[in-house]
Amino acid sequence: IGTILQQDKLIHASLFENISFGREKVSINNIMAVAKQVGLDRDLEIFKSGFDTMINPEGHFIPEEVIQKILLVRAIVHQPKLLLIENPTDRMKEKCIQSFIEIIQSLKNCTILLSTSDEEILKKSNRIICIKNGQIDFEGDYSAYINTKKSC
């Protein structure tokens, strides 16, 4: 299982440890490949010692966009079968949203359960389920969602 939740934060550890998150089978080669896929490789110059750089849990010197990339790499580097994502675009700049969607769509053999109100993500979703007061209020694809003018 991989997760990207709103309360996810970086930990006081190296960049490598922040991404591998104790998973012994995650190698630096895995991390570098996924980092390149999400564009984190272009941001590595802010980490003086590369993946060995110690991270401040507050992440004060790390731009929010880079933190989001680190958390995305952490979530997918071990090739999860299930990915749980909570409001992923809330803290993203507009230019990153399309890239995020493409990365998520490229995952193989992975079921993605995503909570969002982002229209671009809803358009690309196979299935939309709206839950209100603990009950399923709507279930269908994007065109049915638009036709019923549901608001989740």
Side-chain angles (χ1 to χ4, degrees), residues 88-120:
T89 58
D90 284 0
R91 300 185 294 179
M92 281 186 197
K93 293 180 181 174
E94 196 64 36
K95 66 180 183 173
C96 297
I97 294 173
Q98 188 59 39
S99 175
F100 172 81
I101 292 170
E102 290 170 9
I103 291 163
I104 295 303
Q105 287 181 320
S106 74
L107 297 176
K108 305 287 185 227
N109 302 314
C110 183
T111 299
I112 301 166
L113 181 59
L114 194 141
S115 167
T116 189
S117 59
D118 186 285
E119 200 71 20
E120 290 305 310

PDB file of all heavy atoms in Angstrom, residues 88-120:
ATOM      1  N   PRO A  88      -4.843  15.379  -3.490  1.00  0.00           N
ATOM      2  CA  PRO A  88      -3.444  15.566  -3.877  1.00  0.00           C
ATOM      3  C   PRO A  88      -3.111  16.927  -4.456  1.00  0.00           C
ATOM      4  O   PRO A  88      -1.981  17.392  -4.338  1.00  0.00           O
ATOM      5  CB  PRO A  88      -3.218  14.474  -4.916  1.00  0.00           C
ATOM      6  CG  PRO A  88      -4.570  14.267  -5.506  1.00  0.00           C
ATOM      7  CD  PRO A  88      -5.522  14.439  -4.359  1.00  0.00           C
ATOM      8  N   THR A  89      -4.057  17.570  -5.072  1.00  0.00           N
ATOM      9  CA  THR A  89      -3.734  18.818  -5.767  1.00  0.00           C
ATOM     10  C   THR A  89      -3.957  20.059  -4.904  1.00  0.00           C
ATOM     11  O   THR A  89      -3.685  21.162  -5.353  1.00  0.00           O
ATOM     12  CB  THR A  89      -4.563  18.936  -7.066  1.00  0.00           C
ATOM     13  OG1 THR A  89      -5.951  18.872  -6.724  1.00  0.00           O
ATOM     14  CG2 THR A  89      -4.213  17.825  -8.030  1.00  0.00           C
ATOM     15  N   ASP A  90      -4.418  19.877  -3.679  1.00  0.00           N
ATOM     16  CA  ASP A  90      -4.676  21.028  -2.809  1.00  0.00           C
ATOM     17  C   ASP A  90      -3.438  21.885  -2.598  1.00  0.00           C
ATOM     18  O   ASP A  90      -3.532  23.095  -2.488  1.00  0.00           O
ATOM     19  CB  ASP A  90      -5.215  20.577  -1.448  1.00  0.00           C
ATOM     20  CG  ASP A  90      -6.668  20.152  -1.510  1.00  0.00           C
ATOM     21  OD1 ASP A  90      -7.257  20.211  -2.609  1.00  0.00           O
ATOM     22  OD2 ASP A  90      -7.197  19.757  -0.462  1.00  0.00           O
ATOM     23  N   ARG A  91      -2.266  21.256  -2.513  1.00  0.00           N
ATOM     24  CA  ARG A  91      -1.032  21.999  -2.254  1.00  0.00           C
ATOM     25  C   ARG A  91      -0.139  22.087  -3.493  1.00  0.00           C
ATOM     26  O   ARG A  91       1.011  22.458  -3.386  1.00  0.00           O
ATOM     27  CB  ARG A  91      -0.265  21.355  -1.100  1.00  0.00           C
ATOM     28  CG  ARG A  91      -1.070  21.334   0.190  1.00  0.00           C
ATOM     29  CD  ARG A  91      -0.278  20.824   1.357  1.00  0.00           C
ATOM     30  NE  ARG A  91       0.067  19.414   1.190  1.00  0.00           N
ATOM     31  CZ  ARG A  91       0.777  18.712   2.056  1.00  0.00           C
ATOM     32  NH1 ARG A  91       1.218  19.267   3.149  1.00  0.00           N
ATOM     33  NH2 ARG A  91       1.049  17.445   1.830  1.00  0.00           N
ATOM     34  N   MET A  92      -0.695  21.764  -4.662  1.00  0.00           N
ATOM     35  CA  MET A  92       0.105  21.783  -5.892  1.00  0.00           C
ATOM     36  C   MET A  92      -0.153  23.034  -6.702  1.00  0.00           C
ATOM     37  O   MET A  92      -1.280  23.521  -6.761  1.00  0.00           O
ATOM     38  CB  MET A  92      -0.244  20.584  -6.776  1.00  0.00           C
ATOM     39  CG  MET A  92       0.366  19.311  -6.365  1.00  0.00           C
ATOM     40  SD  MET A  92      -0.015  18.052  -7.621  1.00  0.00           S
ATOM     41  CE  MET A  92       0.356  16.602  -6.685  1.00  0.00           C
ATOM     42  N   LYS A  93       0.894  23.474  -7.360  1.00  0.00           N
ATOM     43  CA  LYS A  93       0.732  24.556  -8.325  1.00  0.00           C
ATOM     44  C   LYS A  93       0.077  23.973  -9.575  1.00  0.00           C
ATOM     45  O   LYS A  93       0.203  22.783  -9.870  1.00  0.00           O
ATOM     46  CB  LYS A  93       2.086  25.157  -8.676  1.00  0.00           C
ATOM     47  CG  LYS A  93       2.721  25.880  -7.517  1.00  0.00           C
ATOM     48  CD  LYS A  93       4.057  26.465  -7.922  1.00  0.00           C
ATOM     49  CE  LYS A  93       4.682  27.160  -6.727  1.00  0.00           C
ATOM     50  NZ  LYS A  93       6.033  27.630  -7.015  1.00  0.00           N
ATOM     51  N   GLU A  94      -0.599  24.818 -10.300  1.00  0.00           N
ATOM     52  CA  GLU A  94      -1.350  24.394 -11.489  1.00  0.00           C
ATOM     53  C   GLU A  94      -0.488  23.594 -12.466  1.00  0.00           C
ATOM     54  O   GLU A  94      -0.926  22.585 -13.004  1.00  0.00           O
ATOM     55  CB  GLU A  94      -1.932  25.630 -12.186  1.00  0.00           C
ATOM     56  CG  GLU A  94      -3.009  25.323 -13.185  1.00  0.00           C
ATOM     57  CD  GLU A  94      -4.255  24.706 -12.566  1.00  0.00           C
ATOM     58  OE1 GLU A  94      -4.633  25.074 -11.447  1.00  0.00           O
ATOM     59  OE2 GLU A  94      -4.844  23.828 -13.231  1.00  0.00           O
ATOM     60  N   LYS A  95       0.763  24.015 -12.668  1.00  0.00           N
ATOM     61  CA  LYS A  95       1.626  23.344 -13.640  1.00  0.00           C
ATOM     62  C   LYS A  95       1.985  21.914 -13.231  1.00  0.00           C
ATOM     63  O   LYS A  95       2.318  21.097 -14.067  1.00  0.00           O
ATOM     64  CB  LYS A  95       2.891  24.152 -13.893  1.00  0.00           C
ATOM     65  CG  LYS A  95       3.809  24.245 -12.698  1.00  0.00           C
ATOM     66  CD  LYS A  95       5.046  25.051 -13.008  1.00  0.00           C
ATOM     67  CE  LYS A  95       5.976  25.048 -11.790  1.00  0.00           C
ATOM     68  NZ  LYS A  95       7.233  25.650 -12.073  1.00  0.00           N
ATOM     69  N   CYS A  96       1.895  21.611 -11.944  1.00  0.00           N
ATOM     70  CA  CYS A  96       2.246  20.269 -11.455  1.00  0.00           C
ATOM     71  C   CYS A  96       1.092  19.294 -11.531  1.00  0.00           C
ATOM     72  O   CYS A  96       1.310  18.084 -11.515  1.00  0.00           O
ATOM     73  CB  CYS A  96       2.728  20.350 -10.007  1.00  0.00           C
ATOM     74  SG  CYS A  96       4.215  21.312  -9.812  1.00  0.00           S
ATOM     75  N   ILE A  97      -0.129  19.789 -11.612  1.00  0.00           N
ATOM     76  CA  ILE A  97      -1.301  18.917 -11.569  1.00  0.00           C
ATOM     77  C   ILE A  97      -1.320  17.949 -12.751  1.00  0.00           C
ATOM     78  O   ILE A  97      -1.529  16.751 -12.579  1.00  0.00           O
ATOM     79  CB  ILE A  97      -2.606  19.737 -11.482  1.00  0.00           C
ATOM     80  CG1 ILE A  97      -2.644  20.468 -10.134  1.00  0.00           C
ATOM     81  CG2 ILE A  97      -3.828  18.855 -11.676  1.00  0.00           C
ATOM     82  CD1 ILE A  97      -3.788  21.452  -9.981  1.00  0.00           C
ATOM     83  N   GLN A  98      -1.083  18.446 -13.963  1.00  0.00           N
ATOM     84  CA  GLN A  98      -1.095  17.582 -15.146  1.00  0.00           C
ATOM     85  C   GLN A  98      -0.005  16.514 -15.058  1.00  0.00           C
ATOM     86  O   GLN A  98      -0.232  15.356 -15.377  1.00  0.00           O
ATOM     87  CB  GLN A  98      -0.944  18.398 -16.434  1.00  0.00           C
ATOM     88  CG  GLN A  98      -1.148  17.587 -17.691  1.00  0.00           C
ATOM     89  CD  GLN A  98      -2.518  16.931 -17.761  1.00  0.00           C
ATOM     90  OE1 GLN A  98      -3.525  17.499 -17.376  1.00  0.00           O
ATOM     91  NE2 GLN A  98      -2.565  15.698 -18.241  1.00  0.00           N
ATOM     92  N   SER A  99       1.161  16.911 -14.595  1.00  0.00           N
ATOM     93  CA  SER A  99       2.260  15.960 -14.424  1.00  0.00           C
ATOM     94  C   SER A  99       1.880  14.880 -13.412  1.00  0.00           C
ATOM     95  O   SER A  99       2.130  13.694 -13.630  1.00  0.00           O
ATOM     96  CB  SER A  99       3.512  16.700 -13.970  1.00  0.00           C
ATOM     97  OG  SER A  99       4.545  15.807 -13.698  1.00  0.00           O
ATOM     98  N   PHE A 100       1.265  15.285 -12.308  1.00  0.00           N
ATOM     99  CA  PHE A 100       0.816  14.338 -11.286  1.00  0.00           C
ATOM    100  C   PHE A 100      -0.170  13.332 -11.887  1.00  0.00           C
ATOM    101  O   PHE A 100      -0.049  12.128 -11.678  1.00  0.00           O
ATOM    102  CB  PHE A 100       0.170  15.085 -10.117  1.00  0.00           C
ATOM    103  CG  PHE A 100      -0.492  14.188  -9.122  1.00  0.00           C
ATOM    104  CD1 PHE A 100       0.254  13.542  -8.158  1.00  0.00           C
ATOM    105  CD2 PHE A 100      -1.859  13.972  -9.164  1.00  0.00           C
ATOM    106  CE1 PHE A 100      -0.348  12.686  -7.246  1.00  0.00           C
ATOM    107  CE2 PHE A 100      -2.473  13.128  -8.258  1.00  0.00           C
ATOM    108  CZ  PHE A 100      -1.715  12.488  -7.296  1.00  0.00           C
ATOM    109  N   ILE A 101      -1.139  13.829 -12.656  1.00  0.00           N
ATOM    110  CA  ILE A 101      -2.141  12.959 -13.277  1.00  0.00           C
ATOM    111  C   ILE A 101      -1.465  11.943 -14.197  1.00  0.00           C
ATOM    112  O   ILE A 101      -1.782  10.756 -14.172  1.00  0.00           O
ATOM    113  CB  ILE A 101      -3.197  13.788 -14.036  1.00  0.00           C
ATOM    114  CG1 ILE A 101      -4.042  14.602 -13.042  1.00  0.00           C
ATOM    115  CG2 ILE A 101      -4.087  12.894 -14.896  1.00  0.00           C
ATOM    116  CD1 ILE A 101      -4.943  15.640 -13.689  1.00  0.00           C
ATOM    117  N   GLU A 102      -0.513  12.399 -15.001  1.00  0.00           N
ATOM    118  CA  GLU A 102       0.185  11.498 -15.923  1.00  0.00           C
ATOM    119  C   GLU A 102       0.957  10.419 -15.168  1.00  0.00           C
ATOM    120  O   GLU A 102       0.949   9.249 -15.572  1.00  0.00           O
ATOM    121  CB  GLU A 102       1.125  12.292 -16.829  1.00  0.00           C
ATOM    122  CG  GLU A 102       0.388  13.142 -17.843  1.00  0.00           C
ATOM    123  CD  GLU A 102       1.292  14.120 -18.574  1.00  0.00           C
ATOM    124  OE1 GLU A 102       2.541  14.031 -18.422  1.00  0.00           O
ATOM    125  OE2 GLU A 102       0.759  14.983 -19.290  1.00  0.00           O
ATOM    126  N   ILE A 103       1.599  10.795 -14.073  1.00  0.00           N
ATOM    127  CA  ILE A 103       2.361   9.821 -13.279  1.00  0.00           C
ATOM    128  C   ILE A 103       1.428   8.780 -12.687  1.00  0.00           C
ATOM    129  O   ILE A 103       1.679   7.572 -12.769  1.00  0.00           O
ATOM    130  CB  ILE A 103       3.174  10.535 -12.183  1.00  0.00           C
ATOM    131  CG1 ILE A 103       4.304  11.350 -12.826  1.00  0.00           C
ATOM    132  CG2 ILE A 103       3.715   9.540 -11.161  1.00  0.00           C
ATOM    133  CD1 ILE A 103       4.904  12.390 -11.917  1.00  0.00           C
ATOM    134  N   ILE A 104       0.334   9.228 -12.098  1.00  0.00           N
ATOM    135  CA  ILE A 104      -0.626   8.303 -11.485  1.00  0.00           C
ATOM    136  C   ILE A 104      -1.219   7.368 -12.547  1.00  0.00           C
ATOM    137  O   ILE A 104      -1.360   6.170 -12.316  1.00  0.00           O
ATOM    138  CB  ILE A 104      -1.735   9.090 -10.742  1.00  0.00           C
ATOM    139  CG1 ILE A 104      -1.141   9.859  -9.568  1.00  0.00           C
ATOM    140  CG2 ILE A 104      -2.859   8.180 -10.289  1.00  0.00           C
ATOM    141  CD1 ILE A 104      -0.406   9.018  -8.558  1.00  0.00           C
ATOM    142  N   GLN A 105      -1.527   7.914 -13.718  1.00  0.00           N
ATOM    143  CA  GLN A 105      -2.092   7.078 -14.789  1.00  0.00           C
ATOM    144  C   GLN A 105      -1.082   6.072 -15.326  1.00  0.00           C
ATOM    145  O   GLN A 105      -1.472   5.046 -15.874  1.00  0.00           O
ATOM    146  CB  GLN A 105      -2.605   7.950 -15.932  1.00  0.00           C
ATOM    147  CG  GLN A 105      -3.879   8.681 -15.598  1.00  0.00           C
ATOM    148  CD  GLN A 105      -4.378   9.517 -16.766  1.00  0.00           C
ATOM    149  OE1 GLN A 105      -3.610  10.153 -17.467  1.00  0.00           O
ATOM    150  NE2 GLN A 105      -5.684   9.501 -16.962  1.00  0.00           N
ATOM    151  N   SER A 106       0.205   6.341 -15.179  1.00  0.00           N
ATOM    152  CA  SER A 106       1.230   5.439 -15.710  1.00  0.00           C
ATOM    153  C   SER A 106       1.509   4.244 -14.804  1.00  0.00           C
ATOM    154  O   SER A 106       2.194   3.307 -15.210  1.00  0.00           O
ATOM    155  CB  SER A 106       2.531   6.209 -15.949  1.00  0.00           C
ATOM    156  OG  SER A 106       3.181   6.490 -14.717  1.00  0.00           O
ATOM    157  N   LEU A 107       0.977   4.255 -13.587  1.00  0.00           N
ATOM    158  CA  LEU A 107       1.233   3.152 -12.656  1.00  0.00           C
ATOM    159  C   LEU A 107       0.595   1.867 -13.173  1.00  0.00           C
ATOM    160  O   LEU A 107      -0.560   1.861 -13.588  1.00  0.00           O
ATOM    161  CB  LEU A 107       0.703   3.495 -11.264  1.00  0.00           C
ATOM    162  CG  LEU A 107       1.348   4.696 -10.584  1.00  0.00           C
ATOM    163  CD1 LEU A 107       0.659   4.978  -9.254  1.00  0.00           C
ATOM    164  CD2 LEU A 107       2.843   4.486 -10.393  1.00  0.00           C
ATOM    165  N   LYS A 108       1.340   0.803 -13.126  1.00  0.00           N
ATOM    166  CA  LYS A 108       0.864  -0.500 -13.614  1.00  0.00           C
ATOM    167  C   LYS A 108       0.442  -1.366 -12.431  1.00  0.00           C
ATOM    168  O   LYS A 108       1.059  -1.336 -11.376  1.00  0.00           O
ATOM    169  CB  LYS A 108       1.978  -1.216 -14.384  1.00  0.00           C
ATOM    170  CG  LYS A 108       2.556  -0.410 -15.527  1.00  0.00           C
ATOM    171  CD  LYS A 108       1.598  -0.334 -16.674  1.00  0.00           C
ATOM    172  CE  LYS A 108       2.249   0.371 -17.847  1.00  0.00           C
ATOM    173  NZ  LYS A 108       1.449   1.368 -18.449  1.00  0.00           N
ATOM    174  N   ASN A 109      -0.611  -2.150 -12.632  1.00  0.00           N
ATOM    175  CA  ASN A 109      -1.084  -3.105 -11.624  1.00  0.00           C
ATOM    176  C   ASN A 109      -1.314  -2.460 -10.263  1.00  0.00           C
ATOM    177  O   ASN A 109      -0.932  -3.000  -9.232  1.00  0.00           O
ATOM    178  CB  ASN A 109      -0.094  -4.275 -11.491  1.00  0.00           C
ATOM    179  CG  ASN A 109       0.106  -4.989 -12.806  1.00  0.00           C
ATOM    180  OD1 ASN A 109      -0.856  -5.281 -13.505  1.00  0.00           O
ATOM    181  ND2 ASN A 109       1.346  -5.250 -13.147  1.00  0.00           N
ATOM    182  N   CYS A 110      -1.905  -1.292 -10.283  1.00  0.00           N
ATOM    183  CA  CYS A 110      -2.137  -0.552  -9.047  1.00  0.00           C
ATOM    184  C   CYS A 110      -3.556   0.006  -9.051  1.00  0.00           C
ATOM    185  O   CYS A 110      -3.961   0.688  -9.992  1.00  0.00           O
ATOM    186  CB  CYS A 110      -1.130   0.598  -8.919  1.00  0.00           C
ATOM    187  SG  CYS A 110      -1.264   1.535  -7.393  1.00  0.00           S
ATOM    188  N   THR A 111      -4.302  -0.284  -7.998  1.00  0.00           N
ATOM    189  CA  THR A 111      -5.622   0.292  -7.810  1.00  0.00           C
ATOM    190  C   THR A 111      -5.439   1.604  -7.053  1.00  0.00           C
ATOM    191  O   THR A 111      -4.721   1.645  -6.057  1.00  0.00           O
ATOM    192  CB  THR A 111      -6.531  -0.653  -6.998  1.00  0.00           C
ATOM    193  OG1 THR A 111      -6.672  -1.872  -7.738  1.00  0.00           O
ATOM    194  CG2 THR A 111      -7.893  -0.036  -6.739  1.00  0.00           C
ATOM    195  N   ILE A 112      -6.083   2.655  -7.530  1.00  0.00           N
ATOM    196  CA  ILE A 112      -5.932   3.968  -6.917  1.00  0.00           C
ATOM    197  C   ILE A 112      -7.276   4.418  -6.363  1.00  0.00           C
ATOM    198  O   ILE A 112      -8.273   4.466  -7.082  1.00  0.00           O
ATOM    199  CB  ILE A 112      -5.412   4.990  -7.946  1.00  0.00           C
ATOM    200  CG1 ILE A 112      -4.058   4.523  -8.497  1.00  0.00           C
ATOM    201  CG2 ILE A 112      -5.316   6.382  -7.324  1.00  0.00           C
ATOM    202  CD1 ILE A 112      -3.612   5.247  -9.735  1.00  0.00           C
ATOM    203  N   LEU A 113      -7.288   4.717  -5.081  1.00  0.00           N
ATOM    204  CA  LEU A 113      -8.457   5.268  -4.413  1.00  0.00           C
ATOM    205  C   LEU A 113      -8.097   6.693  -4.040  1.00  0.00           C
ATOM    206  O   LEU A 113      -7.187   6.925  -3.255  1.00  0.00           O
ATOM    207  CB  LEU A 113      -8.818   4.452  -3.170  1.00  0.00           C
ATOM    208  CG  LEU A 113     -10.043   4.908  -2.396  1.00  0.00           C
ATOM    209  CD1 LEU A 113     -11.291   4.896  -3.280  1.00  0.00           C
ATOM    210  CD2 LEU A 113     -10.248   4.015  -1.181  1.00  0.00           C
ATOM    211  N   LEU A 114      -8.805   7.639  -4.657  1.00  0.00           N
ATOM    212  CA  LEU A 114      -8.422   9.034  -4.561  1.00  0.00           C
ATOM    213  C   LEU A 114      -9.600   9.886  -4.108  1.00  0.00           C
ATOM    214  O   LEU A 114     -10.692   9.770  -4.656  1.00  0.00           O
ATOM    215  CB  LEU A 114      -7.948   9.460  -5.955  1.00  0.00           C
ATOM    216  CG  LEU A 114      -7.194  10.743  -6.095  1.00  0.00           C
ATOM    217  CD1 LEU A 114      -6.093  10.565  -7.115  1.00  0.00           C
ATOM    218  CD2 LEU A 114      -8.104  11.849  -6.505  1.00  0.00           C
ATOM    219  N   SER A 115      -9.372  10.720  -3.119  1.00  0.00           N
ATOM    220  CA  SER A 115     -10.380  11.663  -2.645  1.00  0.00           C
ATOM    221  C   SER A 115     -10.019  13.031  -3.209  1.00  0.00           C
ATOM    222  O   SER A 115      -8.931  13.540  -2.940  1.00  0.00           O
ATOM    223  CB  SER A 115     -10.360  11.692  -1.109  1.00  0.00           C
ATOM    224  OG  SER A 115     -11.090  12.794  -0.637  1.00  0.00           O
ATOM    225  N   THR A 116     -10.919  13.604  -4.006  1.00  0.00           N
ATOM    226  CA  THR A 116     -10.606  14.894  -4.618  1.00  0.00           C
ATOM    227  C   THR A 116     -11.862  15.602  -5.086  1.00  0.00           C
ATOM    228  O   THR A 116     -12.912  14.981  -5.287  1.00  0.00           O
ATOM    229  CB  THR A 116      -9.664  14.724  -5.827  1.00  0.00           C
ATOM    230  OG1 THR A 116      -9.206  16.009  -6.263  1.00  0.00           O
ATOM    231  CG2 THR A 116     -10.338  14.025  -6.983  1.00  0.00           C
ATOM    232  N   SER A 117     -11.749  16.896  -5.266  1.00  0.00           N
ATOM    233  CA  SER A 117     -12.793  17.663  -5.937  1.00  0.00           C
ATOM    234  C   SER A 117     -12.198  18.352  -7.164  1.00  0.00           C
ATOM    235  O   SER A 117     -12.856  19.165  -7.800  1.00  0.00           O
ATOM    236  CB  SER A 117     -13.403  18.692  -4.977  1.00  0.00           C
ATOM    237  OG  SER A 117     -12.398  19.556  -4.508  1.00  0.00           O
ATOM    238  N   ASP A 118     -10.956  17.999  -7.497  1.00  0.00           N
ATOM    239  CA  ASP A 118     -10.258  18.597  -8.635  1.00  0.00           C
ATOM    240  C   ASP A 118     -10.885  18.105  -9.938  1.00  0.00           C
ATOM    241  O   ASP A 118     -10.911  16.909 -10.224  1.00  0.00           O
ATOM    242  CB  ASP A 118      -8.776  18.238  -8.585  1.00  0.00           C
ATOM    243  CG  ASP A 118      -7.985  18.944  -9.662  1.00  0.00           C
ATOM    244  OD1 ASP A 118      -8.090  18.532 -10.845  1.00  0.00           O
ATOM    245  OD2 ASP A 118      -7.275  19.914  -9.336  1.00  0.00           O
ATOM    246  N   GLU A 119     -11.393  19.028 -10.716  1.00  0.00           N
ATOM    247  CA  GLU A 119     -12.100  18.711 -11.962  1.00  0.00           C
ATOM    248  C   GLU A 119     -11.218  17.950 -12.954  1.00  0.00           C
ATOM    249  O   GLU A 119     -11.687  17.036 -13.638  1.00  0.00           O
ATOM    250  CB  GLU A 119     -12.626  20.005 -12.582  1.00  0.00           C
ATOM    251  CG  GLU A 119     -13.730  19.802 -13.569  1.00  0.00           C
ATOM    252  CD  GLU A 119     -15.056  19.384 -12.953  1.00  0.00           C
ATOM    253  OE1 GLU A 119     -15.282  19.585 -11.742  1.00  0.00           O
ATOM    254  OE2 GLU A 119     -15.877  18.835 -13.699  1.00  0.00           O
ATOM    255  N   GLU A 120      -9.944  18.313 -13.063  1.00  0.00           N
ATOM    256  CA  GLU A 120      -9.050  17.641 -14.013  1.00  0.00           C
ATOM    257  C   GLU A 120      -8.861  16.168 -13.646  1.00  0.00           C
ATOM    258  O   GLU A 120      -8.824  15.313 -14.520  1.00  0.00           O
ATOM    259  CB  GLU A 120      -7.698  18.357 -14.092  1.00  0.00           C
ATOM    260  CG  GLU A 120      -7.767  19.715 -14.754  1.00  0.00           C
ATOM    261  CD  GLU A 120      -8.383  19.670 -16.146  1.00  0.00           C
ATOM    262  OE1 GLU A 120      -7.950  18.835 -16.969  1.00  0.00           O
ATOM    263  OE2 GLU A 120      -9.295  20.465 -16.416  1.00  0.00           O
TER     264      GLU A 120
END
